[in-house]
Amino acid sequence: MAVSYKPQLSYSDFRDLKDQIQFQSTEGKIWFGEQRMLLMNLSSLAAFRREIVNSMGIERAKGFFLRLGYLSGLKDAELARKLRPHCGELDIFLAGPQLHSLKGMVKVVPLEIDLDQETGDFYGRFEWIDSWEVEICKTELGLMKEPACWVLLGYACAYTSSFMGREIIFREVSCRGCGDEKCVIEGKPAEQWKDGKEFSRYFKADPIIEELYDLQEQLNSLRSSFQRQEGQYYGIGQSASYNKVCRMIDKAAQGKVSVLLLGETGVGKEVIARSVHLRSARADGPFIAVNCAAIPPDLIEAELFGVEKGAYTGANQSREGRFERANGGTIFLDEVVELTPRAQATLLRVLQESELERVGDNRTRKVNVRVIAATNESLEQAVEDGRFRADLFYRLNVFPVRIPPLRERLEDLPLLAGHFLEKFHAQYEKRTLGLSDKALALCMNYQWPGNIRELENVIERGVILTDNNESISQDALFVSPPPSEPMPIERIDADGNVCIGQAAGKEESWSDHIINSGISLEEVEETLMRQAMEQANQNVSGAARILGLTRPALAYRLKKTGILAEN
Ligand SMILES: [Zn+2]
């Protein structure tokens, strides 16, 4: 169904969009939906643009600014779909031009729109009035030889392409930035432009940039394989507390000393254990990880130390244990407190004598294995409770390393999130736009009781729930928003004024507010009636209309509460 230009919403009514703006001045943030925004002055942007043009040349600069607009258009197409789910396609589409106006970029006047999402047909002509890019041409850059509204054009192309689900290209057929009378743009599917292919090349990063990225990628992969060889591989982080752990590992890695990793569940103990191994002289040897809690107690000895044929019913053949498999390398015993007393005794012997006997065997075997143990409960306590051997504890506790919980190294969260995004993009063959600014802010405010593992799960959920080319919203990350301190938020009211409101997401409804404040129903009724009377200049009929009551019904209530008698 082709739609001619007949929107249901009034084009000048974009309160739903305005409501998305929130000022969080005390936090230094401005939000637009889930996107963090900036209020920037035009003149500094003009100076920046001049510098880019001067240093890169017009063609390359044009590409930069087209792509700047392009990214913003993608984000806004996403927002429009979310905000107007029940509207007709034209009303949803018009959120784009309206957003352009709302953001102070340009006033957009639709001249002709013909669109049909089903067939993919699109034709649009718009006039741009007071484009910011024309303004900086007039004030800073001087007139251009060709159309100058680059960022605006990139936005229009991305917004419409995302909206239509196919490549739509807009061109400025005339532009005041190059001396024409008006800025007018025309948009249609890429194939319908003679030079559509050439033009859409602007939206791909410059070949030089791509080449640089390629080189950088090669360098990175070389570096990381080099680092692996050198045993420099640590995992991810740059915070002070994480660096401290890394320095400890550096020290521990040399030599054969047992290492005890302490920390809450999910902090990445296995990653650290592996990096101790990779940084040690045993890096070429095997690294065997065992979760002691995952093996049934009656099998743990055989699993760790091996078993001889006929040792017990079911032991049909001899088998080496994990310690023998780790010979020459490192074994990582997670949740070591779960070891049975007999397994603890054998482990102590391995640590003291470097030898073991398989279950049901009397031959002694030499093993050369470094032990890294980990626990998320206190081993001292387990010793006190009689669940863990004191002598084994002292053996394991030679070099304890405490790994900080994620909440103590939140500055590493963006890096970690980026790492998991890459992982799940590959795994699910998807490419989201990453966390929305708001989702990231929420993550940075959350306590992460499940630590990095919880973050990994949350990111996986986000990637699954988010479509390609959309940002991962707070709703996709968290089933219910995690508790955090409510922050004062200023909103834009219907008249465009900034006013104080509640933090989004934790917004207390007016009814909650009334109930929590202990205000009675009578007080509510009375206050509403007084307010209505005031607004109606004490005219009972007028106040009744405001409250949706008949005049007699209101008059009765006014008398009953004594409001009318007062006047
Ligand atoms: Zn223009």
Side-chain angles (χ1 to χ4, degrees):
M1 170 198 61
V3 189
S4 51
Y5 179 45
K6 239 182 279 138
Q8 293 156 0
L9 303 176
S10 151
Y11 181 62
S12 58
D13 176 12
F14 38 92
R15 220 170 315 155
D16 58 335
L17 306 178
K18 233 195 275 180
D19 284 347
Q20 297 297 309
I21 305 178
Q22 295 176 354
F23 287 85
Q24 226 179 345
S25 316
T26 53
E27 301 302 313
K29 286 172 186 159
I30 305 172
W31 296 102
F32 189 75
E34 293 202 7
Q35 308 169 31
R36 185 170 168 182
M37 306 298 284
L38 299 175
L39 261 180
M40 252 179 93
N41 45 350
L42 197 57
S43 55
S44 57
L45 201 54
F48 175 67
R49 175 148 156 171
R50 187 175 48 218
E51 196 179 324
I52 296 278
V53 169
N54 287 343
S55 59
M56 318 211 59
I58 286 271
E59 272 306 291
R60 205 155 256 150
K62 182 175 170 187
F64 268 107
F65 284 99
L66 276 164
R67 289 194 291 280
L68 179 64
Y70 198 87
L71 287 176
S72 159
L74 279 185
K75 291 270 181 193
D76 280 359
E78 183 186 358
L79 186 73
R81 281 193 295 270
K82 274 190 198 145
L83 281 183
R84 296 184 172 171
H86 307 300
C87 295
E89 52 184 355
L90 187 59
D91 286 315
I92 303 176
F93 175 78
L94 284 174
Q98 289 168 339
L99 282 164
H100 238 165
S101 304
L102 180 61
K103 290 180 175 177
M105 303 276 178
V106 65
K107 176 177 175 179
V108 190
V109 179
L111 303 175
E112 196 178 342
I113 308 176
D114 224 331
L115 66 85
D116 186 342
Q117 278 178 307
E118 234 160 80
T119 60
D121 290 339
F122 182 88
Y123 179 78
R125 249 160 52 86
F126 299 83
E127 183 180 352
W128 278 340
I129 298 172
D130 283 334
S131 149
W132 70 272
E133 292 180 282
V134 169
E135 187 169 325
I136 62 175
C137 285
K138 301 230 148 152
T139 55
E140 297 261 342
L141 298 168
L143 278 192
M144 310 280 292
K145 291 206 179 72
E146 53 170 312
C149 302
W150 298 334
V151 179
L152 297 182
L153 199 65
Y155 180 98
C157 293
Y159 181 88
T160 312
S161 299
S162 174
F163 181 83
M164 295 299 299
R166 67 185 292 194
E167 195 181 1
I168 306 289
I169 287 180
F170 276 86
R171 304 295 286 271
E172 242 189 315
V173 291
S174 69
C175 178
R176 289 173 57 225
C178 58
D180 296 326
E181 201 183 317
K182 292 172 170 182
C183 290
V184 174
I185 57 165
E186 196 176 57
K188 51 193 183 189
E191 319 81 77
Q192 293 175 23
W193 291 99
K194 253 187 276 155
D195 53 353
K197 267 217 178 85
E198 241 165 86
F199 185 77
S200 61
R201 216 168 284 149
Y202 280 116
F203 297 121
K204 310 213 164 65
D206 276 16
I208 280 197
I209 297 288
E210 253 165 35
E211 217 167 283
L212 277 177
Y213 280 144
D214 273 354
L215 283 173
Q216 199 174 25
E217 211 162 279
Q218 284 176 29
L219 186 66
N220 280 344
S221 88
L222 277 175
R223 189 179 286 150
S224 77
S225 68
F226 179 70
Q227 282 174 345
R228 263 166 222 271
Q229 277 169 12
E230 293 287 295
Q232 305 265 328
Y233 179 67
Y234 289 118
I236 294 156
Q238 59 186 18
S239 62
S241 55
Y242 191 71
N243 277 331
K244 199 173 138 201
V245 170
C246 294
R247 278 199 302 277
M248 296 280 283
I249 293 169
D250 276 341
K251 288 187 190 135
Q254 324 305 323
K256 200 201 154 185
V257 64
S258 298
V259 176
L260 182 61
L261 301 177
L262 306 166
E264 293 173 14
T265 180
V267 291
K269 282 177 284 221
E270 186 171 336
V271 174
I272 301 284
R274 199 178 285 275
S275 58
V276 173
H277 170 72
L278 287 170
R279 294 178 65 66
S280 72
R282 309 172 161 259
D284 290 334
F287 174 84
I288 305 285
V290 185
N291 182 349
C292 301
I295 301 169
D298 48 338
L299 293 182
I300 192 129
E301 263 186 284
E303 196 58 42
L304 288 179
F305 307 110
V307 64
E308 274 303 291
K309 187 175 174 180
Y312 51 82
T313 339
N316 298 326
Q317 52 185 350
S318 301
R319 196 155 44 85
E320 63 176 8
R322 309 268 181 117
F323 268 88
E324 282 176 75
R325 264 189 271 160
N327 199 14
T330 307
I331 193 164
F332 171 57
L333 300 175
D334 199 2
E335 309 210 36
V336 70
V337 72
E338 300 295 331
L339 289 180
T340 59
R342 283 176 55 121
Q344 288 180 31
T346 316
L347 175 57
L348 183 64
R349 185 167 161 214
V350 174
L351 290 170
Q352 281 171 338
E353 325 280 349
S354 296
E355 59 184 38
L356 58 80
E357 276 155 27
R358 290 182 181 174
V359 176
D361 193 9
N362 34 30
R363 198 180 123 208
T364 300
R365 293 163 203 263
K366 280 280 173 198
V367 285
N368 171 16
V369 175
R370 174 190 221 166
V371 175
I372 300 177
T375 172
N376 51 37
E377 68 171 285
S378 159
L379 280 186
E380 279 111 322
Q381 187 59 46
V383 169
E384 220 164 274
D385 299 345
R387 286 182 292 134
F388 203 78
R389 291 177 69 119
D391 44 7
L392 179 58
F393 167 65
Y394 295 124
R395 268 282 171 183
L396 291 176
N397 197 35
V398 184
F399 200 101
V401 178
R402 179 184 170 272
I403 304 168
L406 182 54
R407 65 180 168 280
E408 285 176 21
R409 45 180 290 222
L410 280 173
E411 56 188 295
D412 290 336
L413 189 140
L415 279 178
L416 289 161
H419 167 75
F420 291 130
L421 274 172
E422 235 167 78
K423 172 178 164 183
F424 293 119
H425 280 163
Q427 191 170 321
Y428 292 103
E429 291 175 4
K430 278 175 111 170
R431 189 137 288 272
T432 70
L433 298 180
L435 298 185
S436 77
D437 300 329
K438 197 137 209 181
L440 181 61
L442 209 60
C443 287
M444 299 298 282
N445 235 351
Y446 177 55
Q447 289 297 301
W448 299 104
N451 291 297
I452 297 175
R453 193 173 307 141
E454 184 182 9
L455 175 67
E456 182 175 8
N457 294 340
V458 161
I459 300 274
E460 180 172 16
R461 180 186 142 83
V463 169
I464 291 171
L465 291 181
T466 306
D467 291 331
N468 277 326
N469 281 324
E470 305 244 323
S471 348
I472 300 177
S473 68
Q474 47 182 349
D475 297 336
L477 282 190
F478 296 99
V479 183
S480 53
S484 58
E485 289 296 303
M487 283 177 281
I489 283 200
E490 299 116 52
R491 292 168 177 282
I492 304 281
D493 69 12
D495 301 323
N497 299 312
V498 177
C499 55
I500 305 274
Q502 284 274 325
K506 294 167 286 298
E507 197 163 8
E508 202 184 15
S509 70
W510 57 271
S511 53
D512 285 341
H513 176 71
I514 289 170
I515 289 167
N516 294 338
S517 330
I519 301 170
S520 72
L521 191 56
E522 280 93 70
E523 282 173 274
V524 173
E525 201 180 304
E526 212 182 300
T527 311
L528 286 177
M529 288 191 296
R530 281 183 196 282
Q531 192 100 21
M533 285 294 281
E534 197 153 305
Q535 277 182 29
N537 290 324
Q538 308 303 325
N539 178 309
V540 178
S541 304
R545 264 197 303 278
I546 291 173
L547 293 170
L549 292 172
T550 60
R551 191 189 181 284
L554 180 61
Y556 170 76
R557 283 183 166 86
L558 287 171
K559 280 202 188 91
K560 206 178 90 183
T561 48
I563 297 175
L564 203 57
E566 281 171 21
N567 301 296

